[in-house]
Amino acid sequence: MRHNKSGRKFNRTGSHRKAMFRNMVRSLLTYEHMRTTEPKAKELRSFAEKLITLALRDDLHSRRLAYKTLENHSLVQKLFDEIGPRFVGGGGGYTRIIKLAEPRKGDCAPMVIIELTKRAEAPVAAATETPAEETPAKETQEA
């Protein structure tokens, strides 16, 4: 019988797979995009989207469940305070997979970029600031 056997194994033990996806989802939430192989990205998508769904609920229990996966308080805080509010009103599709043209050298594995669909905007205020007036060069006084 084929019960509870979903997902790819990646030729790794269960604990190794769990650690690998835990590290990958931490990197994805930290940098909001990453480059990896296509099968890993497809598996990583389910981990990331479940965490963002927890962030949309935004209660103590969901924070504890997110911490169980991420094991990092600052990353849980970023997930619930910055990443989660961007996706309010959405019903899924929080990540995007973009296929790259070049396969990985060595094993020719298909490579992709996985990213959050709504990424943090760059601060606009820094670009619109007027340049500071140049101060005249101080003249050295010779005695």
Side-chain angles (χ1 to χ4, degrees):
M1 288 192 285
R2 188 187 175 280
H3 292 281
N4 201 15
K5 293 184 178 180
S6 64
R8 297 171 176 90
K9 289 190 173 183
F10 296 105
N11 200 21
R12 291 172 167 85
T13 61
S15 60
H16 190 183
R17 254 190 327 271
K18 183 178 176 183
M20 179 181 71
F21 283 116
R22 179 173 288 167
N23 285 329
M24 290 178 77
V25 78
R26 281 184 202 147
S27 296
L28 179 63
L29 294 178
T30 302
Y31 301 108
E32 300 187 4
H33 70 283
M34 64 183 300
R35 181 181 165 164
T36 183
T37 61
E38 187 177 355
K40 285 181 188 172
K42 287 182 177 178
E43 289 294 317
L44 178 63
R45 178 190 300 183
S46 69
F47 285 89
E49 295 204 358
K50 285 175 188 169
L51 284 173
I52 293 173
T53 303
L54 287 176
L56 293 175
R57 284 191 356 210
D58 197 16
D59 58 355
L60 180 62
H61 182 63
S62 56
R63 281 183 186 261
R64 286 178 175 161
L65 288 175
Y67 181 76
K68 187 177 168 184
T69 301
L70 297 174
E71 294 181 343
N72 185 339
H73 287 292
S74 61
L75 199 52
V76 170
Q77 186 175 7
K78 179 181 179 181
L79 174 68
F80 281 78
D81 295 343
E82 295 177 23
I83 296 173
R86 285 187 232 155
F87 296 100
V88 171
Y94 309 125
T95 58
R96 171 186 310 132
I97 294 177
I98 301 168
K99 293 183 181 181
L100 297 176
E102 295 281 325
R104 182 168 60 193
K105 290 182 180 176
D107 64 351
C108 206
M111 298 299 289
V112 297
I113 292 177
I114 183 169
E115 64 183 10
L116 300 179
T117 55
K118 294 181 182 175
R119 295 175 64 179
E121 296 177 8
V124 180
T128 60
E129 279 186 19
T130 58
E133 294 180 17
E134 292 183 20
T135 58
K138 292 183 180 177
E139 295 178 10
T140 58
Q141 296 179 355
E142 296 180 13

